Amino acid sequence: MTAVLFDFSGTLFRIESTHAWLSGALAGTGTTLSGPDLAATARALEEAGALPGGAPPARVPEELAGVWEVRDESAQLHRAAYTGLSRQVRLPDPGLHDVLYDRHMTPDAWSPYPDAAEVLGTLSERGIAVGVVSNIGWDLRPVFRAHGLDRYVDAYVLSYQHGIQKPDRRLFSTACAALGSEPGRTLMVGDDRRADGGAAALGCAVHFVDPLPVSERVSGLRPVLDLLR
């Protein structure tokens, strides 16, 4: 193997909890909710699937079904899909739906998995090229920079910048070309068997991790290093 491609959410990083997401947005606007109301609203937002990178929607409303399917193909579609889900939940101020969306794009909303720096650093030391391939609607580079991981990444291939979503093999092909690696000598690491598994159609090897909370997955990425020996 000459290169490894990584998914972002659930693979290298994990989004904060829905409760922390809502609490942070409220604090930023000076809005308050009582303890029981805060907990109930957070649960409703989680069921709606309004937090990008969080739990998927229990049900996608019919009026959002079309945009939901292509949400990662542009920044506008991504925002429309997730604020649309958020608006299924009543909030103290309608403006909070956009505040919530904006918060999830901040570095503070994300935590790297405990072994992410170790694994990426080891790959860099071994001369293995690293790419990040993500279905996403915004630029995640600031998250990597804020957590000190950007120095290990040689290329970012983000769906919204190409108008293509995983599992479309073209997104993986773009990543391999950016790294100068042949698909047959490239490993894709992700948490979504459908989306990330699309790399196999291009000829890449694929390895899956569990998108567990950070505290519950301390060494989930380390097996990648064994696969490259």
Side-chain angles (χ1 to χ4, degrees):
M1 294 293 174
T2 60
V4 180
L5 307 177
F6 289 93
D7 174 51
F8 167 56
S9 175
T11 300
L12 290 175
F13 283 83
R14 171 81 180 207
I15 190 68
E16 64 186 344
S17 70
T18 309
H19 190 281
W21 177 54
L22 175 60
S23 298
L26 293 173
T29 61
T31 308
T32 58
L33 283 174
S34 67
D37 286 344
L38 179 63
T41 303
R43 285 194 301 271
L45 286 167
E46 184 160 355
E47 183 176 352
L51 174 58
R59 181 187 68 85
V60 177
E62 184 177 347
E63 67 272 18
L64 291 175
V67 70
W68 179 254
E69 289 301 315
V70 295
R71 63 191 180 277
D72 296 313
E73 292 184 3
S74 77
Q76 294 77 17
L77 289 169
H78 195 267
R79 179 181 283 271
Y82 283 102
T83 57
L85 292 174
S86 174
R87 287 189 174 92
Q88 306 302 306
V89 179
R90 188 171 184 177
L91 297 178
D93 180 346
L96 281 169
H97 297 290
D98 280 308
V99 173
L100 281 169
Y101 183 84
D102 291 340
R103 177 176 172 81
H104 103 274
M105 296 186 288
T106 63
D108 286 345
W110 296 88
S111 296
Y113 280 96
D115 57 345
E118 173 194 346
V119 170
L120 293 178
T122 300
L123 292 175
S124 179
E125 291 171 0
R126 293 183 184 179
I128 306 260
V130 170
V132 172
V133 185
S134 178
N135 279 353
I136 199 165
W138 48 278
D139 188 0
L140 48 72
R141 292 172 180 84
V143 175
F144 278 78
R145 287 196 293 268
H147 292 280
L149 300 184
D150 179 65
R151 57 182 168 163
Y152 301 124
V153 180
D154 301 293
Y156 294 90
V157 178
L158 312 179
S159 61
Y160 83 101
Q161 294 182 324
H162 298 274
I164 305 168
Q165 299 181 160
K166 295 181 291 185
D168 193 315
R169 59 187 289 170
R170 291 177 294 169
L171 203 63
F172 302 107
S173 179
T174 298
C176 289
L179 296 176
S181 179
E182 298 175 5
R185 303 186 69 186
T186 302
L187 173 67
M188 174 68 206
V189 182
D191 67 290
D192 188 318
R193 292 185 177 274
R194 178 179 177 273
D196 300 314
L202 187 66
C204 298
V206 181
H207 176 72
F208 296 106
V209 295
D210 291 323
L212 298 170
V214 167
S215 61
E216 297 176 25
R217 208 194 81 194
V218 177
S219 58
L221 291 168
R222 286 187 186 134
V224 170
L225 301 178
D226 295 329
L227 291 172
L228 299 178
R229 284 177 181 167

